[in-house]
Amino acid sequence: MTPTTTRSSYLMRAGLVRNVRSGEHLTTFVVSGVATVLITRLFLSLSGYPQIGGKGLHIAHVLPGGLLMLIAISLLLGYVGPVVRPAAALVGGVGFGLFIDEVGKFVTSDNNYFYKPTAAIVYVAFVLIVLGSRFLSTRRPIDPREELANVIDHTVEGVAGGLSRQRRAQASELLGLVGPKVKGRRETERLLEACPPDEVELAAPVDAAWRWLQRTFERLATHPKAPTVAVVVLAVQAVGAPLIAVSVGSGLAELSVSGVIVGSLLSATFTVRGWRQLRRARRLRAVRLFELAVLVSLLMTQVFQFAGTQFAAAGGMLLDLVLLGLLRAERDRLQRAEELAKITPAATTPLGLPPDPTAPRFPEDPSDPVL
């Protein structure tokens, strides 16, 4: 038994079973939080920074933010099943965005809402949330028993109120990932079959938006011009970020400009390497290198951009997030195709001829540092 398996077994015995959709819920939380900060800042700027209250009272928006986070926690504590989590992630993200937007008041002695490093602090806070969650959810593979527990989570909803065709299909797809030897699989399958049909379900705009976004990303990522467009955008961003930083450098700290330049050089290096792999028909490796270029921009370049230009750097961040979504959709598609090819290897070439053993192949090199 490997150390990873032992750790997984211990955590599951302790009741720490991971949600297979945690990545989607986290993204909902972060996107709603970041959007709330940007919309709040824009609204206050356009309205002249009004204050709610009077006669010595000021109701800061950190208070409704706390109330929304309380509502999100109450939803998670008060209801079972998977239905409530997207709504809780959305409400909690908006509440956290209202809370973190006022961080400048709490780190300065004069309660300065306009504290210049606020944008960088907010950005780093969201980055740490994403990195911490990714570390906890991906440092060990999902155990089949965790997959089964997630199916049972669906049946909790079905036993009480029935399952729609869509919910049943989601649970059945998840059950298909569970091996036949996992204890409890057969009983769970019978329980899922016993759930009565019921097409009435809570409106889930977040789930609908997720499905639409995934389909859109998959269509765009498979477009013939997608690789070229990705390289051009990454190259323009790698060149443009330092130029913007230098052009407004009179008001920026030297460290911010240097950080933007270093981050842009790293992104450019990964972009060039990815372009070379793409020309050698190593598409999956190229996509991974492009992802690294975007991640360097998100985790390094944009931090210094926010520190220097404050919330004016939001455009670059949004562009990075869109690129990352497209690249991950394409990476997932290529990985699925690769796994399918291993299960059902082609016996002949497209022309019906046997494969040429001397033909050049481009296997993924496990020693490659990007893998």
Side-chain angles (χ1 to χ4, degrees), residues 207-229:
D207 279 349
W210 257 109
R211 290 193 296 271
W212 175 83
L213 192 63
Q214 288 173 335
R215 290 195 298 268
T216 302
F217 276 175
E218 287 174 359
R219 285 198 297 268
L220 292 176
T222 54
H223 192 279
K225 297 291 185 181
T228 304
V229 172

Side-chain angles (χ1 to χ4, degrees), residues 194-207:
C195 293
D198 185 3
E199 293 304 321
V200 178
E201 63 179 38
L202 183 68
V206 175
D207 279 349

Side-chain angles (χ1 to χ4, degrees), residues 19-305:
N19 188 334
V20 295
R21 295 187 60 193
S22 62
E24 295 179 21
H25 300 324
L26 172 71
T27 303
T28 300
F29 178 88
V30 170
V31 170
S32 59
V34 171
T36 298
V37 172
L38 297 177
I39 292 172
T40 300
R41 291 268 169 169
L42 178 62
F43 171 76
L44 291 177
S45 176
L46 294 176
S47 59
Y49 298 95
Q51 292 190 355
I52 301 176
K55 298 181 180 180
L57 295 177
H58 169 55
I59 301 176
H61 51 266
V62 70
L63 298 177
L67 177 62
L68 289 175
M69 286 190 282
L70 174 62
I71 292 174
I73 294 172
S74 300
L75 289 173
L76 294 174
L77 295 179
Y79 295 90
V80 296
V83 176
V84 74
R85 294 191 189 106
L90 178 64
V91 174
V94 173
F96 184 77
L98 291 172
F99 160 75
I100 197 68
D101 180 60
E102 297 215 89
V103 67
K105 290 184 176 182
F106 306 113
V107 297
T108 56
S109 58
D110 57 349
N111 296 331
N112 185 9
Y113 177 71
F114 302 101
Y115 182 54
K116 285 188 176 181
T118 294
I121 294 173
V122 171
Y123 184 80
V124 170
F126 280 109
V127 167
L128 290 177
I129 290 172
V130 173
L131 292 179
S133 177
R134 292 282 297 174
F135 173 76
L136 292 176
S137 61
T138 61
R139 66 173 184 166
R140 56 187 174 90
I142 294 289
D143 191 281
R145 290 169 293 176
E146 290 180 300
E147 300 274 11
L148 185 63
N150 278 265
V151 178
I152 295 172
D153 192 39
H154 276 76
T155 62
V156 168
E157 171 194 348
V159 167
L163 283 177
S164 65
R165 286 190 297 269
Q166 179 182 320
R167 297 283 185 189
R168 193 183 299 275
Q170 290 174 349
S172 299
E173 182 181 357
L174 200 57
L175 187 62
L177 302 175
V178 181
K181 296 183 179 180
V182 177
K183 186 180 295 185
R185 186 192 188 281
R186 189 173 301 173
E187 292 79 3
T188 304
E189 188 173 3
R190 292 200 196 101
L191 182 60
L192 186 61
E193 292 173 354
C195 293
D198 185 3
E199 293 304 321
V200 178
E201 63 179 38
L202 183 68
V206 175
D207 279 349
W210 257 109
R211 290 193 296 271
W212 175 83
L213 192 63
Q214 288 173 335
R215 290 195 298 268
T216 302
F217 276 175
E218 287 174 359
R219 285 198 297 268
L220 292 176
T222 54
H223 192 279
K225 297 291 185 181
T228 304
V229 172
V231 171
V232 171
V233 172
L234 287 170
V236 170
Q237 191 175 33
V239 174
L243 291 178
I244 293 174
V246 171
S247 64
V248 297
S250 58
L252 303 183
E254 185 177 343
L255 178 61
S256 297
V257 177
S258 301
V260 170
I261 292 174
V262 172
S264 298
L265 288 175
L266 286 173
S267 293
T269 300
F270 286 124
T271 301
V272 171
R273 288 185 60 191
W275 175 248
R276 289 177 178 173
Q277 297 299 325
L278 196 63
R279 297 192 64 179
R280 296 175 185 175
R282 301 176 183 178
R283 191 180 179 95
L284 180 56
R285 188 179 296 180
V287 168
R288 286 169 173 165
L289 284 163
F290 291 153
E291 273 192 281
L292 281 176
V294 177
L295 287 172
V296 168
S297 177
L298 273 171
L299 303 179
M300 183 175 179
T301 308
Q302 297 302 333
V303 173
F304 289 104
Q305 286 275 40

